[in-house]
Amino acid sequence: MEYTEHMSLRAALVWQIEAGVVDTLSETPVDRYALAAAAAAAKEQTKAPAQARPGAPVEPAKADPVDEAQQMATAAQDLPGLKAALAAFEHCDLKRGARNLVFADGTPGARVMIIGEAPGREEDRQGKPFVGQAGQFLDRMLAAIGLDRGESVYITNVLPWRPPQNRDPLPAEIAMMRPFVARHVALAKPEVLVLMGNISCDAGLGKRGITRLRGTWAEAYGKPALPMFHPAYLLRQPHLKREAWADLLSLRARLGQP
Ligand code: URA
């Protein structure tokens, strides 16, 4: 076979590829540093928000759920106003899956305010906190130290809407409800708080670990607060009722004799 020019050019190309040549040379010089800088700038521009690009539609800035909760809660002047503010708050998806807003039960202005976690099925159905099995047990616990939601206790939850399948509330859900709980405490003006369970301690004290926290008075929302085992947990772990009894006595002592 005759060795053509085409074959010699092809052989030269193969040799260059095998040698690792990746760029072709041209007549005019190329500033590869400038090319790299331009590529980085183009990449940044595609990451920039749409309104930064001329002609793109201007999207309204997204409201921060916690900021908005804070503003709406602060604006509420009384408990019905706070309930209305919660009903108008649109950032918590739990609202869309719940049947009812569960705001509070008991006696507003009572010396004791109990803060639970979130409504369960029965609470969601009736629109009142602590009316299911755990709530009935809570009533018996309170009665043992002479307290009654009908006259001496006010009750609410960190979350006013039932989470699906009673799952634990997410940190973001707790964070956006916290301003409402703080305002709830300020408007209800209790003397002391009882934080029932880990979610309530998380929202009020910024920490969990109820086995360690229970029984020791702390401060939440500017009030003396007693962390206790949640009544639902006590129903599952009856051997812990001895500790719960000690905590109830501590609450009774704090209030003085009835
Ligand atoms: N558990 C809670 O924490 N709150 C309720 O209202 C019912 C069960």
Side-chain angles (χ1 to χ4, degrees), residues 116-120 123 128-130 134 157 230:
E117 299 187 350
E123 289 77 17
K128 279 187 188 175
F130 282 106
N157 283 311
H230 192 285

Side-chain angles (χ1 to χ4, degrees), residues 177-191:
M177 285 304 129
R178 201 183 173 284
F180 289 107
V181 182
R183 189 73 182 140
H184 206 155
V185 171
L187 293 170
K189 298 189 180 70
E191 220 171 284

Side-chain angles (χ1 to χ4, degrees), residues 231-253:
Y233 187 58
L234 290 171
L235 287 174
R236 294 195 302 272
Q237 308 282 337
H239 66 282
L240 296 175
K241 285 183 185 168
R242 179 203 295 258
E243 279 87 343
W245 177 237
D247 299 346
L248 287 169
L249 291 179
S250 171
L251 175 60
R252 182 69 269 166

Side-chain angles (χ1 to χ4, degrees), residues 79-189:
L79 294 171
L82 186 67
K83 186 175 179 182
L86 267 170
F89 186 70
E90 294 297 343
H91 292 286
C92 186
D93 284 343
L94 296 177
K95 177 181 184 178
R96 283 169 263 290
R99 282 205 220 175
N100 278 303
L101 166 73
V102 177
F103 184 65
D105 194 27
T107 312
R111 295 176 70 195
V112 180
M113 180 168 176
I114 293 178
I115 305 179
E117 299 187 350
R121 192 169 49 143
E122 198 51 32
E123 289 77 17
D124 181 43
R125 213 175 60 77
Q126 295 191 33
K128 279 187 188 175
F130 282 106
V131 288
Q133 224 192 344
Q136 289 157 23
F137 182 51
L138 173 64
D139 285 344
R140 293 202 295 279
M141 288 164 65
L142 295 172
I145 54 166
L147 297 175
D148 181 327
R149 72 167 89 188
E151 53 189 43
S152 46
V153 177
Y154 185 59
I155 304 179
T156 189
N157 283 311
V158 174
L159 270 90
W161 297 289
R162 182 192 183 197
Q165 274 83 47
N166 296 342
R167 67 150 168 80
D168 271 358
L170 305 173
E173 291 163 349
I174 297 175
M176 67 177 87
M177 285 304 129
R178 201 183 173 284
F180 289 107
V181 182
R183 189 73 182 140
H184 206 155
V185 171
L187 293 170
K189 298 189 180 70

